[in-house]
Structure formats: C-alpha cells, structure tokens
Amino acid sequence: MTTIARPAGLLLLSSAGALLAGAVVAVAAGLTLNPSDLPATLGAVAERTELHLAALALDVAGWLALLAAALTMAGPSTAVAAGLLAAAGLAGLLHDAGNLAVTQLTAVPAAAVAVLLVAKWMVNLAGLLWVAATVALSRGLSRAFRGTGAVAAASGLAAVAVPWTSGTAGPSVALEQVGYALHLPVMVWFAAVGLVSVTPVRRSERSQSRR
C-alpha cells in the first residue's frame, strides 16, 4: 500500500490550509475576479488592493506547498500522482501570476479581461490536474481513502465543468463560488492524507504492519 512521507504530509496540510485561507479572504472581500463583470472586478481590485494581495500571497503559498509536496512524495508508487500534483501546482502559480498582473492593469480594461480569462482557465486546468492526482493517488491507499477519494474527485470534476456550462458569458459570481465549494472536498481529502501521514503510528500497529 502507498505511504506518504511525513514531510510530504506536512506540505499537503500546509497547502490545503493556505489555499482555503486565500479563498476565504477572496470570497469575503468580493475579490473572486470574475471577467463577466469587468467594471466591478477592476473596481474591487483598485479599492481593496491590500486584501487582493493578501489573498494572492496565501494562494501562492498554497500552490508552492502543493508543488513541494509533489516533489517530496515522488517515488515508484506515487510517480503519476506526484507528476499530476506538480503540474497542478505550476498551473495554480500561473493563475496567481495572471491575477497579480490584473492589479497593474486596472486602468487598461481590454488587457485586464484577457489576462483574467487566461488566469481563470489556468486555475481550471489546475483543478482538473488535481482531480486526476486524487484518482491516481487514491488507488494505492486504503479502502476508506479510495472511496472518499472517488467522491472528492467527482466533486472536483463538477467544479471543473462549471465554466463549460455557462456559455460565452462565463459563470456568474454566484456560480463561480459554487465552483469554489465543489473544489473543497479535494482539498479536504488531501489534507486528510497529509494528516494521516504525520500522525504517529502506535507500536501495535507497527508490529502488525511488519508481519
């Protein structure tokens, strides 16, 4: 059965915590940066730049931790999952780079909307890769993690599908926040994997695993 090293587990926990905190800040401050309502989006960034940067900093920390976790857990039994996680981390960082660029493009709406759209599709790609990593990693874990991993992956896949269901106008702010919520089970699942990997194993359990 696949085991996750303690450093990778700590990084997975850190990643989930930072990404969740960044999402909370962005949603609470109205900074989800929806391209379908560009004037409101650019106005929010201009008025609440500090909160925008704080949410971005947390998001960057989360994607970096996910990338580091992927590199730390790389091994024969986790190679596919680690590769997918690393790719998700890189796509997430590109998403944040786009959102950071918007901070300097509030006076150039035409350029800002293009950058926002690329950033949105980058995070959508990151979500798809994360779902694939969930499926790949869960196959080597316990039955409980396989079952919950399947549920989390289905929820994450639904989140990835949200932009495709909204036509050329793109998802509304409310629908976009539904997408955030649908990604939550994937984050929680990886946090649980990380938590189990850093929890000390009792001696009796160790002796049974050696038999």
Side-chain angles (χ1 to χ4, degrees):
M1 186 166 60
T2 299
T3 56
I4 306 299
R6 184 181 176 86
L10 288 170
L11 287 165
L12 287 175
L13 278 171
S14 301
S15 173
L19 289 171
L20 183 58
V24 168
V25 172
V27 171
L31 289 164
T32 51
L33 308 190
N34 195 305
S36 64
D37 190 358
L38 191 61
T41 294
L42 296 182
V45 171
E47 292 172 10
R48 297 184 284 279
T49 304
E50 293 80 7
L51 284 173
H52 174 60
L53 293 176
L56 273 180
L58 288 165
D59 214 49
V60 167
W63 291 118
L64 280 174
L66 192 69
L67 176 59
L71 297 176
T72 305
M73 67 187 278
S77 62
T78 58
V80 174
L84 290 165
L85 271 185
L90 289 172
L93 289 172
L94 288 173
H95 156 75
D96 286 334
N99 281 347
L100 180 60
V102 171
T103 309
Q104 299 175 321
L105 292 172
T106 53
V108 192
V113 72
V115 172
L116 274 174
L117 284 170
V118 172
K120 288 298 178 185
W121 283 104
M122 274 295 159
V123 79
N124 200 248
L125 174 62
L128 182 60
L129 290 164
W130 211 352
V131 166
T134 305
V135 174
L137 185 60
S138 66
R139 292 175 62 186
L141 299 177
S142 66
R143 181 179 298 178
F145 273 113
R146 287 197 298 273
T148 53
V151 173
S155 181
L157 196 59
V160 169
V162 164
W164 296 91
T165 64
S166 53
T168 56
S172 64
V173 174
L175 189 59
E176 191 170 14
Q177 291 183 4
V178 169
Y180 276 102
L182 288 170
H183 271 304
L184 186 58
V186 176
M187 281 194 257
V188 171
W189 188 83
F190 270 93
V193 171
L195 182 61
V196 168
S197 70
V198 300
T199 302
V201 180
R202 291 177 302 200
R203 290 182 180 178
S204 59
E205 292 174 341
R206 288 177 183 170
S207 60
Q208 287 178 5
S209 65
R210 290 172 183 169
R211 291 176 185 173

